[in-house]
Amino acid sequence: MARTKVLAVAALKGAVSGLVGVAAMTAAGQLEIPLQGRRRSYVPARTLRGLLGLRTSDADRPVVWNHLMHWGTGAVVGALRGVWAVTGIRGPVANVHHTAVRLAVDQTLENGTGVGAPPTTWPKRELAVDLAGKTLYSVVTGIVADRWIAPVLESHRGRTSH
């Protein structure tokens, strides 16, 4: 199979793996929110609407938009993890890096649209919840991707400067 096709299949499998990761993150949130007495966040919905040029006030609670952004971002960032898995970027270290990518994507979009605030300004509990959720997402996504996608494009070139 041509390299491009292998990468495309890995990206598709990674996107599905990302959806499994979102399902785990969503399930954990369904348990955590009532236990903590925390309100649900609609920042993902407002971010997606902002990206599309649609106005949304902070009082709006667009549930469907929230799910579209939540699951869509999970699939897109999961596709990257699939490409990593097929090229040999795997395991716990890859999961740590993937968590950073997921957080960076969310923060870039949220702050770029003016919907979010920098995490350094958040209450510590909010930050901990977000980090825990995104870590769970990346670990689950990584486990699924690494088990489903063989590292058939792993290269051993470029290990030293040349």
Side-chain angles (χ1 to χ4, degrees):
M1 188 177 334
R3 185 175 189 89
T4 304
K5 186 171 182 180
V6 172
L7 289 168
V9 169
L12 181 60
K13 288 180 177 180
V16 173
S17 300
L19 294 174
V20 175
V22 171
M25 183 172 63
T26 301
Q30 295 303 315
L31 296 172
E32 175 270 327
I33 288 170
L35 287 174
Q36 297 285 335
R38 188 174 63 82
R39 290 184 298 146
R40 296 186 185 281
S41 171
Y42 292 92
V43 170
R46 294 177 193 130
T47 300
L48 178 55
R49 291 180 58 82
L51 288 168
L52 296 173
L54 304 172
R55 292 189 182 271
T56 305
S57 80
D58 287 349
D60 291 338
R61 295 180 173 5
V63 175
V64 172
W65 289 93
N66 227 33
H67 283 291
L68 288 171
M69 185 63 169
H70 191 62
W71 293 87
T73 304
V76 169
V77 179
L80 174 67
R81 186 61 175 79
V83 170
W84 287 4
V86 80
T87 59
I89 304 170
R90 308 167 63 85
V93 172
N95 295 342
V96 169
H97 294 293
H98 192 245
T99 301
V101 168
R102 175 61 199 253
L103 290 163
V105 167
D106 287 356
Q107 288 308 306
T108 300
L109 296 175
E110 291 170 12
N111 286 278
T113 57
V115 171
T120 54
T121 66
W122 297 3
K124 288 184 184 349
R125 188 173 96 181
E126 293 288 329
L127 185 58
V129 167
D130 195 53
L131 291 172
K134 300 305 172 17
T135 299
L136 177 62
Y137 159 80
S138 290
V139 168
V140 171
T141 299
I143 288 169
V144 173
D146 287 350
R147 289 184 185 214
W148 191 12
I149 305 166
V152 297
L153 296 181
E154 184 174 354
S155 175
H156 296 279
R157 296 173 64 195
R159 290 185 179 184
T160 59
S161 59
H162 52 280

